[in-house]
Amino acid sequence: MNSIILMAEIIEDPQLRYTSDSQLALTEMLVQFPGLRDVDPPSTLRVIAWGNFAQEVHEKYHHGDQIIIEGRLGMNMIERKEGFKEKRAELTAQRIYPVQMELKTQSQPSDTATTPNKVVP
């Protein structure tokens, strides 16, 4: 089974589009992750999502977000204008998790005098 888990940063906002018959949503984005060694440049990878998940990815994630992507890796053959074929890796996402969740604190006045004590002596 082909399975991959990758921690990366989104470097291109997710772009939502639909198949030619407008039946299925497709989201594409570009992510970047560090090389194996400190001297290696970062690598980029195209990530796609399909259907309702594609719409969720488009709405929820943006450029600069740190994410963990779970999915399957595939290779595509692309015809170049220069007259040769190029292989490109593409990750089809099945799940995406944010790495950092912002904690939203709501400042509510705490009045201990009106809060009943629920400790039984």
Side-chain angles (χ1 to χ4, degrees):
M1 181 171 165
N2 179 352
S3 183
I4 184 172
I5 298 174
L6 179 69
M7 184 185 298
E9 177 183 351
I10 299 173
I11 61 171
E12 181 184 280
D13 275 330
Q15 301 296 315
L16 180 66
R17 58 189 173 106
Y18 293 87
T19 56
S20 59
D21 57 2
S22 299
Q23 295 295 316
L24 192 58
L26 166 66
T27 294
E28 291 185 67
M29 64 181 166
L30 197 60
V31 299
Q32 177 175 288
F33 54 96
L36 292 174
R37 298 173 295 188
D38 291 338
V39 296
D40 293 340
S43 299
T44 59
L45 183 64
R46 179 129 335 254
V47 176
I48 61 169
W50 291 94
N52 292 337
F53 183 53
Q55 293 172 334
E56 180 184 329
V57 169
H58 181 258
E59 294 168 6
K60 192 174 180 181
Y61 298 102
H62 307 284
H63 181 272
D65 290 348
Q66 298 285 326
I67 57 175
I68 296 173
I69 310 160
E70 186 179 334
R72 63 184 188 278
L73 191 62
M75 297 299 288
N76 290 335
M77 191 69 77
I78 297 171
E79 282 282 335
R80 299 290 306 251
K81 292 182 220 174
E82 295 84 10
F84 63 91
K85 294 180 182 180
E86 178 183 352
K87 278 188 179 181
R88 284 194 188 162
E90 183 176 83
L91 196 161
T92 302
Q94 295 167 329
R95 291 184 187 92
I96 296 180
Y97 309 96
V99 171
Q100 298 174 357
M101 294 290 290
E102 291 185 48
L103 298 176
K104 295 182 181 178
T105 57
Q106 297 176 344
S107 53
Q108 297 176 347
S110 77
D111 186 6
T112 55
T114 59
T115 307
N117 188 352
K118 296 183 181 182
V119 177
V120 178

